[in-house]
Amino acid sequence: MNEVVDQIAAKAGIDPELAEKAVGMILGFLQREAADGPIARMIEAIPGASDLVAQYNGEGSGGGGGLLGGLMSALGGGGIMGLGQQLMSQGLGMSEISTLAKETIAVARQHAGDETVDQVIASVPGLSQFA
């Protein structure tokens, strides 16, 4: 996954370590939110993706996010917006987050194919804007 993360980091113009965490958070979000079959195939197809999900899944949504995270979900602020806020809390700006998301999807397409990635995108409200 290092090669993939380095590629995404370079395109987003951010540190590879931060990109690794952000990609792990994005994939973890997708694993929680997307249709089970397509996301499982997508994560399995990307080299090292399952390790990133295991390491960063839920980062920023557990520890300090408990009550606030629950309130945000209740108010409709979870989902893709909640992920955006988690990524911003890591010091990323909106343009960097957008580039990270688009590049992560592009990498997923390279490894898992358009059909699988399109199924993942279609199953997550708001994700199509990054496709």
Side-chain angles (χ1 to χ4, degrees):
M1 188 74 184
N2 285 345
E3 185 178 305
V4 171
V5 169
D6 289 346
Q7 172 189 337
I8 293 170
K11 293 211 175 169
I14 63 171
D15 180 68
E17 193 173 295
L18 179 57
E20 178 180 272
K21 187 172 193 175
V23 170
M25 291 168 70
I26 290 168
L27 292 174
F29 165 80
L30 292 175
Q31 187 179 52
R32 290 189 304 276
E33 301 289 327
D36 290 342
I39 191 59
R41 288 192 300 275
M42 187 179 103
I43 289 174
E44 190 176 296
I46 302 170
S50 56
D51 293 337
L52 285 183
V53 171
Q55 189 171 355
Y56 298 111
N57 187 16
E59 179 73 33
S61 66
L67 180 61
L68 182 59
L71 285 172
M72 282 181 53
S73 293
L75 298 173
I80 199 103
M81 295 303 291
L83 174 64
Q85 289 184 336
Q86 289 174 17
L87 292 169
M88 282 189 269
S89 76
Q90 300 299 315
L92 293 168
M94 284 306 295
S95 65
E96 293 165 324
I97 292 169
S98 179
T99 301
L100 276 166
K102 288 176 181 174
E103 291 303 320
T104 301
I105 299 233
V107 165
R109 288 187 185 284
Q110 289 171 3
H111 293 280
D114 289 335
E115 183 178 344
T116 297
V117 175
D118 287 343
Q119 290 171 349
V120 169
I121 291 167
S123 70
V124 180
L127 190 59
S128 61
Q129 65 187 322
F130 299 105

